[in-house]
Amino acid sequence: MIDHKIVVIGLGGVGSILIERLCRFMNFSQDMSADILLVDGDEYEPKNYERQEFTRLGNKADIKATELETKFDRLRFDAFEDYVTTENVGDVIHEGDIIFMCVDNHKSRMIISNYCKEIKKVTLISGGNDFTDGNVQLYVRREGKDLTPDLCKYHPEIADPTDKLPTEMSCEELSVSEPQLYFANLGVATIMCWTFYNAIIKESYERSEIYFDILTMNSNSKIRTVN
Amino acid sequence: MGTTFNKEQLERKTSRELKRMCVEELNLPGLTKKTKDVVVDAIMAQYGSGSATISKAAPVTGIEFTGISTMTKPDGAFGSRTTTTIHVSCGASSGNFPVVGRTVKQVGEFLREVLNVDRLSTGLINGKEADGDYVLKQGDNLEFLKPAGKKGC
């Protein structure tokens, strides 16, 4: 029996879709169990029903942990009801974790990717989308060495982000959200599940970035070099 | 007729404005991943310590294809022994194009609309970052980096 330590950061449009599929797969896999930490400082509100899966209003991490433990009794859930920052990232991420990053800003991606570089063994799967396209990146470290590039290496917009953490934004900034397509969130969540299957079940890390585009109906995976 | 900037004026611009200026107006490749200080220093180094003169470059209107080819499949069927195309991709889009002998920068201009290539996109040849003036050769695989998706919450 393999006991995984899973961390899902962000339980909005991508995270709330992903976590249900991931838990169903893990709960009914005979050789697998997991401790799952759900991380989000945001609240589910009625406006989120358009793209996000939840049954009650309240803190996203708390609500999802409560919902999922009644559906998937072989898995263990915990909630971290805050956004990830440089101050608390060490409380969220630990050696050996498999992290699903479903956030909506590059500054969080940069902080988490950089923190993972200090860990000996970690698997980081990060997804993001614009309105009709998106990408997923896989960062794998084993025995203190990068097996795939970190999130920043091929993405200067993540290495040098111009956006803010949710904790740095004003109420006005937080209340303004860009329109998103549910199917783009679904595409990211699905490809993150494919990436988990390849990286963790098949131990295949060769293709560490995957792009998709709904309008051209294309997807394309990339082989990235570490050095 | 160009516009003259000094270092102070360049520093007042955003990092993105400076990088766009390097790509579109100054023909200074390889700076899209650099910090603002490095970009400003590169512009000043190229155009003198006192000021930098910015002038619009002529737009690229097309691409000349001179038919450089190599016999890559000598045992192949008649008519398929040579190939003059290389694989070019950007994000989810890709294709094989007759761009051997062209520079990375020219191909980026040529395929901008076809592959949705951003003007600031860095070119990778066989996975390694390439200079905009690199001349493509047989067997190269060219990728223009597409920025990561930002949203998801």
Side-chain angles (χ1 to χ4, degrees):
Chain A
M1 174 78 74
I2 302 171
D3 202 7
H4 293 297
K5 305 288 183 194
I6 306 279
V7 181
V8 180
I9 303 172
L11 292 154
V14 173
S16 68
I17 297 171
L18 169 104
I19 189 65
E20 293 270 348
R21 280 76 210 165
L22 184 69
C23 288
R24 185 165 300 282
F25 175 79
M26 298 188 86
N27 193 67
F28 297 103
S29 296
Q30 295 302 314
D31 58 349
M32 198 183 295
S33 180
D35 289 295
I36 301 178
L37 177 63
L38 304 176
V39 182
D40 205 319
D42 197 10
E43 307 255 322
Y44 285 122
E45 301 170 68
K47 69 176 184 182
N48 299 139
Y49 277 122
E50 184 187 351
R51 292 182 296 106
Q52 303 180 22
E53 298 186 8
F54 57 96
T55 54
R56 287 190 297 120
L57 306 182
N59 175 266
K60 291 181 177 179
D62 180 45
I63 296 286
K64 285 315 284 187
T66 308
E67 280 178 19
L68 294 166
E69 61 192 7
T70 61
K71 292 168 80 172
F72 304 111
D73 58 0
R74 289 187 57 242
L75 308 175
R76 297 167 298 279
F77 296 92
D78 200 357
F80 186 91
E81 300 175 33
D82 204 349
Y83 296 107
V84 175
T85 63
T86 47
E87 286 76 31
N88 66 20
V89 63
D91 299 331
V92 173
I93 296 170
H94 302 96
E95 281 292 343
D97 281 352
I98 300 166
I99 304 151
F100 290 86
M101 185 154 54
C102 315
V103 300
D104 62 358
N105 65 89
H106 287 330
K107 192 162 183 182
S108 294
R109 292 184 177 98
M110 181 268 288
I111 289 170
I112 292 164
S113 177
N114 287 348
Y115 188 79
C116 287
K117 286 180 78 73
E118 299 169 16
I119 292 177
K120 286 184 179 171
K121 182 184 180 188
V122 71
T123 306
L124 173 61
I125 300 170
S126 174
N129 58 269
D130 292 313
F131 193 69
T132 54
D133 59 12
N135 75 321
V136 172
Q137 289 175 263
L138 169 66
Y139 177 39
V140 179
R141 270 175 80 78
R142 296 289 182 267
E143 298 174 353
K145 290 183 179 169
D146 287 351
L147 301 188
T148 67
D150 65 77
L151 303 193
C152 299
K153 182 170 169 61
Y154 289 96
H155 288 281
E157 71 281 5
I158 296 177
D160 188 14
T162 54
D163 55 15
K164 296 177 181 175
L165 294 175
T167 51
E168 298 168 337
M169 293 168 76
S170 65
C171 293
E172 287 77 16
E173 287 173 308
L174 283 170
S175 67
V176 177
S177 55
E178 291 175 36
Q180 288 191 70
L181 183 65
Y182 174 66
F183 297 142
N185 292 157
L186 182 62
V188 174
T190 301
I191 294 173
M192 290 176 84
C193 291
W194 298 355
T195 307
F196 168 78
Y197 185 77
N198 273 317
I200 303 302
I201 310 300
K202 296 295 181 187
E203 296 186 353
S204 169
Y205 319 122
E206 188 183 42
R207 295 187 175 270
S208 63
E209 182 156 15
I210 305 96
Y211 291 94
F212 73 93
D213 188 325
I214 292 171
L215 295 182
T216 59
M217 298 180 94
N218 283 321
S219 68
N220 202 347
S221 62
K222 306 289 184 183
I223 298 171
R224 300 280 190 224
T225 55
V226 173
N227 298 312
Chain B
M1 192 72 174
T3 310
T4 300
F5 289 94
N6 58 34
K7 188 168 183 177
E8 194 177 303
Q9 287 171 313
L10 290 175
E11 283 171 343
R12 278 204 292 271
K13 291 183 176 292
T14 65
S15 179
R16 189 167 180 82
E17 286 171 339
L18 289 168
K19 289 172 183 177
R20 187 170 288 278
M21 186 190 293
C22 289
V23 171
E24 294 180 356
E25 299 170 5
L26 297 176
N27 193 25
L28 283 175
L31 292 169
T32 55
K33 285 179 159 180
K34 306 298 182 192
T35 62
K36 184 176 174 179
D37 291 348
V38 173
V39 177
V40 170
D41 288 346
I43 294 172
M44 296 308 294
Q46 182 77 13
Y47 290 92
S49 57
S51 63
T53 301
I54 315 297
S55 57
K56 283 275 182 190
V60 175
T61 53
I63 204 160
E64 292 175 19
F65 176 51
T66 52
I68 300 167
S69 64
T70 306
M71 189 175 285
T72 53
K73 299 176 193 167
D75 299 328
F78 183 76
S80 65
R81 292 172 187 169
T82 62
T83 176
T84 53
T85 62
I86 68 167
H87 189 260
V88 186
S89 66
C90 181
S93 302
S94 65
N96 293 306
F97 299 94
V99 292
V100 173
R102 302 296 110 199
T103 66
V104 169
K105 191 177 173 187
Q106 285 175 319
V107 176
E109 293 284 347
F110 179 49
L111 298 176
R112 174 148 296 138
E113 289 191 16
V114 178
L115 296 181
N116 196 19
V117 180
D118 189 285
R119 284 181 184 276
L120 297 176
S121 180
T122 302
L124 301 180
I125 298 292
N126 306 322
K128 299 256 166 73
E129 189 173 337
D131 192 275
D133 295 327
Y134 175 87
V135 178
L136 293 159
K137 60 182 188 299
Q138 202 72 51
D140 281 342
N141 185 313
L142 172 60
E143 178 190 352
F144 290 102
L145 281 175
K146 182 177 170 62
K150 190 171 183 179
K151 308 304 283 183
C153 260

